[in-house]
Amino acid sequence: MKRTNVYADPEDLAIIKEAAKRRGISEAEIIRQGIHLAAMANRVWDEPLFSRTFPGPGRTLTKDEVRDVVADAAQRETGSGTAA
């Protein structure tokens, strides 16, 4: 780990202090968790989240069509004639 200094709002620090006491962990651990969340929220990924495409009808499926496709897939997974 690397040490760093930051400026924080006193009200935020009071909330962190309360939470640390309530959760039985250090204030530093809560701050580290917050830094990690901020880092992940601002990360630029090497590839898009949905990089693969799948063939489809070219329109949004209806609720019934989605249900039928999921049921068919579940039947294939379990090898049974009825959805589990």
Side-chain angles (χ1 to χ4, degrees), residues 21-41:
K21 184 176 180 184
R22 183 177 62 250
R23 294 175 59 195
I25 62 175
S26 70
E27 294 172 43
E29 181 58 27
I30 292 176
I31 292 168
R32 280 191 292 271
Q33 291 171 1
I35 290 170
H36 179 70
L37 290 172
M40 295 307 291

Side-chain angles (χ1 to χ4, degrees), residues 1 9-10 12 16 28 31 34 39 42 54-55 61 64 68 70 76 84:
M1 288 201 206
D9 186 278
D12 290 338
I16 289 170
I31 292 168
N42 290 284
F54 301 94
L61 298 176
D64 290 337
D68 293 344
V70 171
R76 282 193 306 275

